[in-house]
């Protein structure tokens, strides 16, 4: 009640002061009466004051106190979307704000080298973690070639779209290779936007970047996350034979949801063919793909998709939670629990994938270097034994 | 002071924020548009003349899922809308670029257009458009139907 009265008084005073303003230089604006848009804390009711006093403050949020894993199992919020609602983010998907020396260093290096990363363009939640480097101290960054504008508009991706993006920078392969070699990364992921406006979809550009890079530093491990090149297998071959170590192409979702989730120019069969063909022309390659969960797929669909992928001799699989990047994109249908992700990891390992990276925040190139090296090291150990 | 200048009436005790004043003055240029969502729900919006239907959906946060992925650059078909015959005839001619993208849309009809290319005009007041169903939605509908039997 007191608040309302005070509000009215403020209002009346403001009207008066505005009138004074209009009247001219003689009329003074009385400071005391200028109505502030923001309520002073002293005008809050006592219960609110107490809540603010005893509740969480900025320190708690910044320190990560709310990412306590033991609280995940107790989360009682809704995980499956009902009609008309928008799900709230469960605690296991809350990430820390990226800060730190490594992160900042990487960011400024990228800008100075004029490199784009999909980490920034697609608003990846892991940016702080990957750029910071993990237990093997392998900082992974996913460089985006051929610009930051794609020719397709998929309903899960927030990368900029245009019908005719700016033409390719012909110096990009050389400059990118130089920059990455100088950077001293151990494992780099090269990806690109879809460029349906270019005849070969950008395959030559991609391949050149890889070969330049390997020339400068033959020890660096290169993973290429390629588009589907509209099913042009010659283009796939060009990239597969460029000297890379891991050929990745994402199927994104189960076959039943392809039409809804991806651009209509993409489909499951085409994507599977890309992966199969890469292996066919270069059998030493390691092939990799990724699926997003939480778009409305059923367990049976996920399992059968995994089987199809294994039958196509795909070596590595990553499973992650779909998160709605902007309001123009698909809503999250379900937040899959960390335990469920662990289940899929087990299934993947049982089906015989080289490795299955599965977790809510896992993305195609999430800690790709880490996983790859860890697996390689372990496999080598067993051979020795 | 003259109340006309600020839109104040002498009886009003608190000042109106400026943006509300502007809305009051331009209410005449608003066109009513109805969107029938995929689940049958009717969403009504007051559009400004000249706004594209995509802009209406995005700016007014209408609950249409995955609409306008390419931000209106004619590089997707997620803003596909189905118009009534008589309104459809009155729309501006379709360009080849729009046709290329529209051809990829699921559930294409003879009165389909892309929402990002259709701009709201005064004569469209009371317009009703249908948001087309998705493949997945149709399948799910069939499954639910089977289960309920």
């Amino acid at each position: 009640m007191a608040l309302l009265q005070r509000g009215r008084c403020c209002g009346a005073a403001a009207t008066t002061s505005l009138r004074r303003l209009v009247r001219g230089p003689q009329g003074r604006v009385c400071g005391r009466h200028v109505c502030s848009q923001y309520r002073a804390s002293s005008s809050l009711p006592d219960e609110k004051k107490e809540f603010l006093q005893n509740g969480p403050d900025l320190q708690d949020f910044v320190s990560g106190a709310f990412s306590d894993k033991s609280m995940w199992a107790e989360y009682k919020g809704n995980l499956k979307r009902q009609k008309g609602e928008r799900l709230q983010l469960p605690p296991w998907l809350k990430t820390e704000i990226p800060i730190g020396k490594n992160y900042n260093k990487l960011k400024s290096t990228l800008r100075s080298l004029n490199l784009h990363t999909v980490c920034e363009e697609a608003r990846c939640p892991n940016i702080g973690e990957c750029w910071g480097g993990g237990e093997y101290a392998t900082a992974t960054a996913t460089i985006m070639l051929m610009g930051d504008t794609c020719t397709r508009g998929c309903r899960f991706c927030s990368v900029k779209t245009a019908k005719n993006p700016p033409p390719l920078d012909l110096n990009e392969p050389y400059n990118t290779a130089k920059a990455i070699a100088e950077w001293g990364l151990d494992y780099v992921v090269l990806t690109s936007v879809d460029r349906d406006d270019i005849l070969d979809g950008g395959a030559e550009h991609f391949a050149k970047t890889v070969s330049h890079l390997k020339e400068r530093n033959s020890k660096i491990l290169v993973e290429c996350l390629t588009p589907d090149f509209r099913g042009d297998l010659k283009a796939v071959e060009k990239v597969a034979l460029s000297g890379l170590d891991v050929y990745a192409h994402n199927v994104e979702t189960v076959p039943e949801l392809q039409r809804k989730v991806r651009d209509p120019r993409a489909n499951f069969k085409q994507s599977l063919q890309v992966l199969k063909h890469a292996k066919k022309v270069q059998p030493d390659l390691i092939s990799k793909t990724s699926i997003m969960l939480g778009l409305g797929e059923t367990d049976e669909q996920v399992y059968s998709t995994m089987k199809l992928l294994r039958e196509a001799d795909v070596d590595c699989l990553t499973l992650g939670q779909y998160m709605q990047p902007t309001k123009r994109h698909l809503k999250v249908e379900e937040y899959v629990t960390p335990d469920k992700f662990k289940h899929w990891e087990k299934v993947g390992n049982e089906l015989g994938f080289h490795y299955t990276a599965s977790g809510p925040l896992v993305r195609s190139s999430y800690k790709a270097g880490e996983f790859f090296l860890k697996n390689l090291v372990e496999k080598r150990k067993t051979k020795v034994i | 002071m003259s109340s006309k200048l600020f839109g104040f009436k002498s009886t009003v005790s608190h000042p109106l924020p400026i943006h509300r004043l502007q809305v009051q003055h331009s209410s005449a240029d608003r066109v009513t548009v109805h969107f029938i969502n995929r689940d049958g729900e009717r969403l009504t919006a007051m559009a400004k003349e000249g706004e594209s239907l995509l802009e209406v959906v995005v700016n007014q946060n209408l609950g249409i899922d995955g609409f306008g992925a390419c931000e209106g650059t004619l590089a997707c078909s997620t803003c596909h809308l189905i118009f009534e015959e008589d309104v459809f005839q009155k729309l501006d001619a379709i360009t080849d670029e729009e046709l290329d993208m529209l051809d990829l849309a699921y559930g294409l009809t003879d009165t389909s257009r892309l929402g990002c290319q259709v701009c709201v005009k005064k004569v469209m007041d009371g317009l009703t458009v249908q948001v087309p169903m998705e493949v997945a939605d149709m399948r799910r509908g069939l499954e639910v139907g089977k289960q309920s039997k």
Side-chain angles (χ1 to χ4, degrees):
Chain A
M1 291 302 125
L3 280 167
L4 278 169
Q5 287 171 346
R6 198 168 300 174
R8 268 198 219 117
C9 292
C10 245
T15 316
T16 320
S17 64
L18 281 165
R19 284 207 201 107
R20 283 211 196 108
L21 270 170
V22 167
R23 222 174 264 152
Q26 294 100 323
R28 296 167 289 117
V29 174
C30 187
R32 277 181 292 131
H33 293 297
V34 172
C35 182
S36 169
Q37 295 277 56
Y38 312 103
R39 260 190 261 147
S41 61
S42 54
S43 64
L44 286 172
D46 288 327
E47 314 90 63
K48 275 277 180 185
K49 273 198 226 168
E50 204 191 304
F51 177 69
L52 287 175
Q53 198 78 353
N54 300 331
D57 71 50
L58 184 63
Q59 265 314 110
D60 288 320
F61 286 103
V62 172
S63 70
F66 290 95
S67 62
D68 186 1
K69 290 187 184 172
S70 61
M71 287 164 53
W72 292 357
E74 296 165 15
Y75 182 68
K76 298 251 185 310
N78 214 5
L79 291 174
K80 265 211 165 95
R81 190 171 82 95
Q82 305 301 321
K83 186 188 130 152
E85 83 165 317
R86 186 191 293 272
L87 292 173
Q88 280 229 334
L89 205 64
W92 55 79
L93 281 169
K94 299 206 197 224
T95 51
E96 292 177 4
I97 305 168
I99 46 172
K101 264 199 1 226
N102 244 3
Y103 173 78
N104 287 320
K105 198 174 105 201
L106 236 102
K107 212 171 167 99
S108 53
T109 310
L110 286 165
R111 288 300 88 78
S112 64
L113 297 170
N114 200 22
L115 294 172
H116 301 279
T117 60
V118 75
C119 320
E120 294 162 301
E121 295 302 320
R123 305 163 202 245
C124 183
N126 300 318
I127 195 169
E129 208 182 328
C130 287
W131 288 17
E135 60 181 288
Y136 283 76
T138 30
T140 309
T142 305
I143 308 294
M144 203 156 76
L145 300 171
M146 309 201 259
D148 60 359
T149 309
C150 187
T151 49
R152 298 188 194 172
C154 297
R155 289 156 105 203
F156 61 88
C157 181
S158 68
V159 170
K160 288 196 280 280
T161 307
K163 198 144 182 79
N164 288 304
L168 292 183
D169 172 9
L170 295 170
N171 295 317
E172 192 180 39
Y174 181 80
N175 288 337
T176 310
K178 184 159 173 278
I180 296 174
E182 272 172 24
W183 204 358
L185 274 184
D186 300 303
Y187 191 103
V188 70
V189 182
L190 298 170
T191 190
S192 77
V193 290
D194 273 316
R195 290 300 296 255
D196 297 317
D197 58 326
I198 298 173
L199 214 59
D200 69 350
E204 181 66 46
H205 192 98
F206 227 122
K208 259 204 250 163
T209 313
V210 179
S211 54
H212 279 316
L213 186 51
K214 283 285 185 175
E215 255 171 46
R216 282 179 174 273
N217 180 358
S218 56
K219 287 210 280 277
I220 192 171
L221 292 166
V222 181
E223 175 181 319
C224 287
L225 177 57
T226 74
D228 58 17
F229 299 118
R230 274 168 305 166
D232 177 2
L233 296 178
K234 279 235 155 319
V236 174
E237 194 168 326
K238 220 182 284 184
V239 179
L241 295 174
S242 62
L244 46 72
D245 301 284
V246 182
Y247 192 105
H249 173 65
N250 294 346
V251 294
E252 311 293 6
T253 184
V254 300
E256 292 82 350
L257 292 176
Q258 292 274 320
R259 196 67 177 71
K260 174 177 176 183
V261 168
R262 296 172 87 183
D263 188 281
R265 286 163 279 193
N267 63 67
F268 191 82
K269 201 160 147 216
Q270 185 171 262
S271 290
L272 213 59
Q273 254 185 324
V274 168
L275 290 163
K276 277 195 214 162
H277 193 77
K279 262 257 167 113
K280 184 162 148 223
V281 299
Q282 177 57 286
D284 287 337
L285 268 184
I286 295 194
S287 59
K288 181 178 185 189
T289 194
S290 188
I291 305 179
M292 293 178 288
L293 297 180
L295 286 158
E297 67 289 321
T298 65
D299 287 354
E300 295 78 35
Q301 288 169 345
V302 178
Y303 184 71
S304 79
T305 307
M306 287 170 79
K307 276 225 314 252
L308 283 169
L309 290 168
R310 191 73 279 269
E311 279 160 20
D313 203 19
V314 174
D315 295 305
C316 309
L317 175 64
T318 72
L319 298 140
Q321 169 72 51
Y322 166 68
M323 285 162 74
Q324 183 181 15
T326 80
K327 65 183 175 184
R328 290 174 290 106
H329 296 91
L330 292 170
K331 291 199 178 78
V332 176
E333 292 298 329
E334 184 185 356
Y335 279 116
V336 179
T337 61
D339 284 337
K340 193 61 181 290
F341 273 106
K342 276 262 163 305
H343 160 77
W344 290 124
E345 184 179 331
K346 230 177 60 182
V347 172
N349 289 330
E350 280 165 11
L351 283 171
F353 285 101
H354 184 75
Y355 76 71
T356 309
S358 173
L361 288 168
V362 169
R363 298 289 180 263
S364 176
S365 36
Y366 174 68
K367 295 194 184 172
E370 299 259 321
F371 275 103
F372 185 86
L373 292 174
K374 195 161 145 204
N375 268 277
L376 205 61
V377 166
E378 275 173 25
K379 289 250 150 61
R380 289 219 178 106
K381 271 195 213 152
T382 53
K383 277 201 193 131
V384 167
I385 294 168
Chain B
M1 198 48 233
S2 161
S3 59
K4 277 195 208 137
L5 199 63
F6 296 101
F8 292 169
K9 296 193 190 127
S10 51
T11 50
V12 169
S13 54
H14 36 183
L16 287 167
I18 297 298
H19 71 271
R20 273 200 217 141
L21 293 173
Q22 287 174 344
V23 166
Q24 280 186 349
H25 286 298
S26 64
S27 60
D29 324 318
R30 294 276 164 169
V31 177
T32 315
V33 184
H34 305 285
F35 293 86
I36 312 280
N37 209 347
R38 296 184 188 112
D39 54 7
E41 188 192 355
R42 176 178 264 254
L43 304 162
T44 302
M46 298 297 287
K48 264 200 300 242
E49 211 184 345
E51 260 192 324
S52 76
L53 289 175
L54 172 59
E55 283 166 339
V56 175
V57 172
V58 171
N59 294 341
Q60 306 209 18
N61 294 312
L62 298 181
I64 304 176
D65 217 12
F67 197 84
C70 79
E71 298 183 273
T73 54
L74 281 178
C76 78
S77 54
T78 61
C79 66
H80 172 207
L81 293 167
I82 301 173
F83 293 78
E84 288 163 348
E85 179 69 46
D86 50 343
V87 181
F88 179 75
Q89 298 301 336
K90 297 201 198 98
L91 298 175
D92 290 338
I94 193 169
T95 61
D96 281 337
E97 283 88 17
E98 186 187 337
L99 209 51
D100 283 340
M101 288 301 122
L102 194 59
D103 277 339
L104 300 172
Y106 180 77
L108 197 60
T109 68
D110 291 332
T111 56
S112 287
R113 287 294 294 268
L114 292 182
C116 63
Q117 301 301 303
V118 176
C119 289
V120 168
K121 288 191 250 189
K122 274 285 220 0
V123 295
M124 292 182 193
D125 198 18
L127 170 73
T128 305
V129 285
Q130 170 84 42
V131 182
M133 286 255 264
E134 293 285 318
V135 183
D137 294 335
M138 303 230 64
R139 285 214 193 105
R140 210 181 293 141
L142 288 171
E143 276 164 27
V144 170
K146 274 190 220 147
Q147 279 168 14
S148 62
K149 281 181 198 152

